[in-house]
Amino acid sequence: METLGYAPYVCLYPGNIFRSLKYWQKYVDEGRLKGVINEDACYSAVVLLVGFLCAFRIDAAYRKFWNACDYSYRFCGDLFNGTCAMLAFTRCSKAPKEDVDQFRHLLVRLVSLLSAVIIGELEVGVARDELADSEETAKTPNFWSLQLIDYEGISQEAQEELLSASNKPEMVFQWVQQIIVGAWNKGIFCVDSPIVGKAFKELADAMHQFHEAQKITEVPFPFPYQMALQLLLISHWIITPIVTVEWTASVPWAAIFSFAGVFALWLFLGLAIELDQPFHATVNSVDMHYLQRLLNHRLLAVIDNIKEPIPSLSQTAKRDVSRRTSNEVSTGGIATVAVSRATVTNGSFGV
């Protein structure tokens, strides 16, 4: 919201100037400004041009914002899908139980760390090179502000290596790949290699989404376009009080017309600048911290239930289910849900 705050201050100049000119024209030197601009066609053309450029600018920022939102949710979804598949492949593993548990817990911790370092890179953007050289960042990296799953459970050597790395997401992703390959060599997976390769691809797709999102943080809006738009806005800002002084005979309304005309254009420019920073920790940015917490909750739910019994068909299940009995099955299902809700409402969990 900081970029939107300057719009009213920018408009104070034309509003006050317009009011002063109108007062001077009406009470001091009547008719002096009548011959400055006889036709409003030139001014209307300038307003149309500036309005078109502002509309294009905010449309580009709007599309950038939603692309950032799309990439963020996609890389979190790909990370979860790939991790969930890898954990499922260990369900019927014949490898030693200790090796299987170690792989599961290490994979969950590294995926949570991978998501955190990706978010940290996106929030920093092009400033990461400057921050990498500072001692403060080396001691407290930016991903520490995010929720992590048992970061201390990772070996101390790996933590020190990560802090000194310049490309943290790529390093953690390489760790994830290496432990998966190591698990395959130990026979931890109970499926064939082509199936494991599909889960591998989902993890790689998450990194692809991250690299796509980096374009948003590192490639700014073209500078020549920004300068041309700024110059036109400043020209409009200067000309507006002089042109609109003939629109009304009221001094207060003169200030209001001038203020509103300039405020609308500068407000949209401020909105575009705000939307241009979708990964910065602001009110109007994508809530990356929420995505990190959401991914952690999903990973913990999977790792907690990996040893639980899987669903099986009950002895009372109807095995002659067909299209003819679909209505009966649906009705029974709805009735069961209704009974369950009534039971919970009454405070009883009995069957």
Side-chain angles (χ1 to χ4, degrees):
M1 296 297 291
E2 294 81 0
T3 55
L4 302 179
Y6 70 84
Y9 297 101
V10 171
C11 301
L12 289 177
Y13 161 78
N16 291 327
I17 293 297
F18 193 8
R19 182 182 60 182
S20 302
L21 290 176
K22 193 62 189 178
Y23 182 86
W24 179 47
Q25 182 192 44
K26 187 175 182 179
Y27 298 106
V28 179
D29 193 358
E30 184 177 357
R32 172 57 65 90
L33 296 177
K34 287 186 177 180
V36 176
I37 298 179
N38 296 322
E39 297 291 340
D40 291 342
C42 180
Y43 177 75
S44 300
V46 172
V47 174
L48 181 62
L49 177 61
V50 175
F52 175 77
L53 294 178
C54 285
F56 179 80
R57 176 72 176 89
I58 195 171
D59 178 68
Y62 182 80
R63 285 186 283 108
K64 178 184 284 189
F65 178 85
W66 284 112
N67 286 338
C69 186
D70 186 38
Y71 294 144
S72 301
Y73 277 83
R74 281 189 177 185
F75 89 75
C76 284
D78 289 337
L79 285 179
F80 174 76
N81 292 339
T83 306
C84 189
M86 291 294 177
L87 295 177
F89 296 159
T90 65
R91 177 75 188 188
C92 302
S93 176
K94 298 180 180 179
K97 182 180 179 180
E98 182 180 355
D99 293 342
V100 175
D101 288 341
Q102 183 176 2
F103 168 74
R104 290 171 177 174
H105 286 274
L106 182 57
L107 178 63
V108 167
R109 284 162 175 78
L110 288 182
V111 170
S112 175
L113 178 60
L114 176 59
S115 175
V117 294
I118 286 177
I119 293 174
E121 289 285 306
L122 293 178
E123 288 183 346
V124 173
V126 294
R128 68 175 184 273
D129 293 334
E130 300 176 0
L131 296 176
D133 298 333
S134 63
E135 297 181 358
E136 186 67 22
T137 305
K139 296 179 180 179
T140 57
N142 54 340
F143 66 85
W144 276 7
S145 62
L146 297 160
Q147 186 185 75
L148 295 171
I149 297 179
D150 190 21
Y151 179 70
E152 299 298 329
I154 302 174
S155 62
Q156 187 65 31
E157 295 80 5
Q159 294 183 29
E160 295 176 355
E161 186 178 359
L162 179 63
L163 292 179
S164 60
S166 56
N167 296 307
K168 293 179 175 60
E170 288 76 12
M171 172 174 285
V172 179
F173 180 64
Q174 184 65 19
W175 289 347
V176 172
Q177 290 181 315
Q178 289 176 359
I179 67 168
I180 293 174
V181 173
W184 172 258
N185 290 330
K186 293 180 181 179
I188 293 178
F189 298 129
C190 57
V191 295
D192 295 331
S193 56
I195 301 178
V196 178
K198 292 182 179 180
F200 233 133
K201 184 180 182 301
E202 287 186 329
L203 296 175
D205 288 341
M207 293 300 295
H208 174 70
Q209 301 298 333
F210 161 60
H211 293 146
E212 289 292 322
Q214 276 188 310
K215 295 189 297 185
I216 296 177
T217 61
E218 298 180 1
V219 180
F221 196 79
F223 179 75
Y225 190 101
Q226 295 189 51
M227 288 302 302
L229 181 58
Q230 290 283 359
L231 291 175
L232 286 174
L233 283 172
I234 293 174
S235 301
H236 175 266
W237 178 68
I238 296 173
I239 297 173
T240 296
I242 302 174
V243 175
T244 55
V245 73
E246 294 294 335
W247 288 4
T248 179
S250 173
V251 176
W253 278 107
I256 293 174
F257 287 153
S258 183
F259 181 90
V262 176
F263 177 76
L265 296 177
W266 285 87
L267 176 64
F268 279 107
L269 179 64
L271 288 173
I273 296 175
E274 188 74 15
L275 294 176
D276 251 347
Q277 305 169 357
F279 295 117
H280 288 199
T282 61
V283 177
N284 300 313
S285 62
V286 181
D287 193 351
M288 306 299 289
H289 290 247
Y290 164 76
L291 288 179
Q292 176 69 15
R293 294 193 301 270
L294 181 63
L295 177 62
N296 287 340
H297 292 165
R298 291 172 175 174
L299 293 175
L300 291 176
V302 172
I303 197 68
D304 288 342
N305 297 325
I306 192 66
K307 296 181 180 180
E308 298 294 329
I310 60 176
S312 59
L313 197 64
S314 64
Q315 296 180 355
T316 59
K318 297 181 179 180
R319 298 178 181 272
D320 57 344
V321 176
S322 62
R323 291 184 179 180
R324 296 179 180 179
T325 60
S326 61
N327 294 331
E328 179 182 354
V329 173
S330 299
T331 304
I334 295 174
T336 303
V337 173
V339 172
S340 300
R341 288 179 179 175
T343 306
V344 174
T345 303
N346 293 332
S348 174
F349 291 92
V351 179

